[in-house]
Amino acid sequence: MLGSDAVLRSLELEGVDVAFGIPGGAILPTYDAIARGTTVRHVLARHEQGAGHMAEGYARASGRVGVAIATSGPGATNLVTPIADAWMDSTPLVAITGQVRSNLIGTDAFQEIDATGITMPIVKHSWLVQDVEELPGVMKAAFHVARTGRQGPVLVDIARDVQEAEFDFEYPDDVDLPGWKPPHKVHPRQLREAAKAIAVAQRPIVYAGGGVLNADACAELLELVDSAQLPAVVTLMGKGCLPDSHPLNYGAPGMHGSKFANWALNKADLVIAIGSRFDDRVTGKVSAFAPGAKVIHFDIDAAEVGKIRHAEIPVVGPLKLALAQLTAEVSAVAAEGAPDRGPWLRQLEDWRERFPFRYAKAEGVLKPQTAVELLRDLAANREEDVIWTTGVGQHQMWAMQYLQCDKPRSFITSGGLGTMGYGLPAAIGAKAARPDATVVCIDGDGCFQMTCQELATAALERLPIVTVILNNGWLGMVRQWQEMFYDERFSQTHLTQVAPDYAKLAEAYGCAGFTVESEDQLEDALSAAMSAGRSAVVDVRCDAEEKVFPMVPSGAAAVDTIEAPGGEVMSA
Amino acid sequence: MSSHTISVRLENSPGALARVSQLFSRRGYNIQSLAVGPTERPDISRLTLRVDCSENSLEQIEKQMHKLVNVLRVTELAPDEAVERELALVTVNVASERRAELVALSQVAGAQVADIGRDAITFEFVGRPEQVEAFEELVRPYGVRELVRTGRVGLRRPSASRPTQSSVT
Ligand SMILES: Cc1ncc(C[n+]2csc(CCOP(=O)(O)OP(=O)(O)O)c2C)c(N)n1
Ligand SMILES: [Mg+2]
């Protein structure tokens, strides 16, 4: 068998049904193997960054490993952003790149780039394959490393002559990685300590993050929250891991999280961090974060525990197992009598009622939040599942605040890297993973223009997605900072609402295009787009000056939130 | 802040060393010395790293290193539980009339003469890192032309009773 065929057989044996990529010289033999026949569906992207984000969207929607393929040199460098994105958000991704022939490596040959070197800080591991005999073992190891432990990206860089070499293909049953030993069990003593701390806490709060989704531990989290009646906050990356409609779910904390979620953390006496990592966008000033709380930190990655905030009770291990065992322990301990948490739960409810997300409506002005609320309501009335993706900016924060996600893997966003341009290709990847679902990208006009060429991919590969551009004519999030912290010097943030004409652009790509200029046009356009049966873009021209509130200024304490003008001031 | 010696068993594969050193520079940890070489097994090398950091950072360093696929084991070598050595080569300027004095002095200090030139001598010195420093001080007044140190290497003492502190293994 040829090395190139071995790549495909390996993908098939790993259960890969879709891969995203673009061919080029150094990966040509592998693309020829695709032409020779494979069960792997290849989706041809228009830019390798798009291919990478598609693979990420696929992975986040399905829980399976995403696969992106690119050629050497510029193909590999175009994949760097999605690899970094997958690294920051722990998304399982296998990036496969062609490399120049072995005898040319190190000579600055045409399209030679040190792909393993460039990506070294942003992958779990990488391999440069220069011997075809190593190829099957490397492919096996790559998938294993990407999906086990804390998930994330790996890179397999394959020299062209390896793809062309003949050998006897045999796919190994086991991986041989003596240095890769992610934890597979949880320390029972730590669990007991955690259960005891929970049992005596008067003001506990669960702080759940994306790790819960990655660990497929959503059912276990729900069980814990229900049985111990623990209130919870859920981060941007975790959205959907606990139903947004659950009465004990207090939503997202952080820079643009709700006041009640931030206050819940601030006043808690016990923070139960589960698959979350005390990111600065959540904590604000670390020394002022949850100042009166003990911390229990559950994570598969020991390095996250104690990295930012000391954990009195660290619990390292797979969350699915840990949470199931914790629930059992907590019930056992709770039987001995628990403190009255009534006042705490009433306090949280009171804050939630007094400080909901809110914005001021104005006659004749279309507020971006209105569009998101309407999308939420339209989605609730549909029979099929709706999966949301977003770009990065104000629209992303409004999506976080106003969408209701009751199912795991229904909210897909770039959290750690904050990659503009993520949403549209991620939606295509999500659609490839979940053809039964309606996939809607809530995008910004700036973000959309970073990867909108992938509309061609959506249209031609029959992966229909809906893109709703909250078109404020600005790099809105940056504009907001300039308005609030830079004396309204709007330096290089104006895009205009009119150029390009997004509906026309959509049509040029073979998609349906809609333009919404006032609130009364909104519902028809959004409904039509969601039911179009093909890819659609809705250009929602909305208020350019709307800002995201509440807001914790960068570096400030998370309790010191700036409220939307005109709100009640909360005091400690 | 205090100095720590970390011993790492590393798979002897391409890029493995680069991954370790990359991790240090990216996370802003300062390496005072790094020595790497083969071990009793041809497929494994051992790295001895000397870092200046807080206890907290040390724990982070160990945990982050553990996540590297090529890293097999990370151990802190506590000073009283480890044998630590370093080799230095020092070329000292010396006029012929003071040669005998310098050679005699260095022999008392435990150094060997590695080469003798017209106006300089190269010594080799092996010892505990602080002895290396002392030797350096001893010959400095003569004028050190060039000096190179290997950086410390270390192994846990088999006579040490308590197991060395090790991160998640
Ligand atoms: C690739 C990239 N470049 C720059 C930024 C910095 N940035 C963050 S949000 C933002 C504005 C996004 O504008 P838009 O997509 O229109 O969204 P809006 O904030 O207006 O909703 C920018 C430039 C980024 N996050 N990613
Ligand atoms: Mg905008």
Side-chain angles (χ1 to χ4, degrees), chain A residues 72-131:
Chain A
S72 65
T77 55
N78 278 349
L79 270 185
V80 168
T81 299
I83 291 172
D85 192 274
W87 170 253
M88 295 293 274
D89 285 343
S90 308
T91 302
L93 174 74
V94 172
I96 299 172
T97 47
Q99 182 53 279
V100 301
R101 290 177 198 287
S102 303
N103 63 335
L104 292 176
I105 290 177
T107 66
D108 303 312
F110 178 63
Q111 293 192 329
E112 182 193 359
I113 208 74
D114 178 5
T116 51
I118 283 180
T119 56
M120 200 170 275
I122 49 170
V123 293
K124 292 177 77 175
H125 197 60
S126 53
W127 294 263
L128 167 60
V129 188
Q130 292 181 265
D131 174 357

Side-chain angles (χ1 to χ4, degrees), chain A residues 394 444-446 470-476 495:
Chain A
Q394 294 181 310
D445 44 333
L470 299 185
N471 178 7
N472 51 13
W474 291 81
L475 297 168
L495 304 172

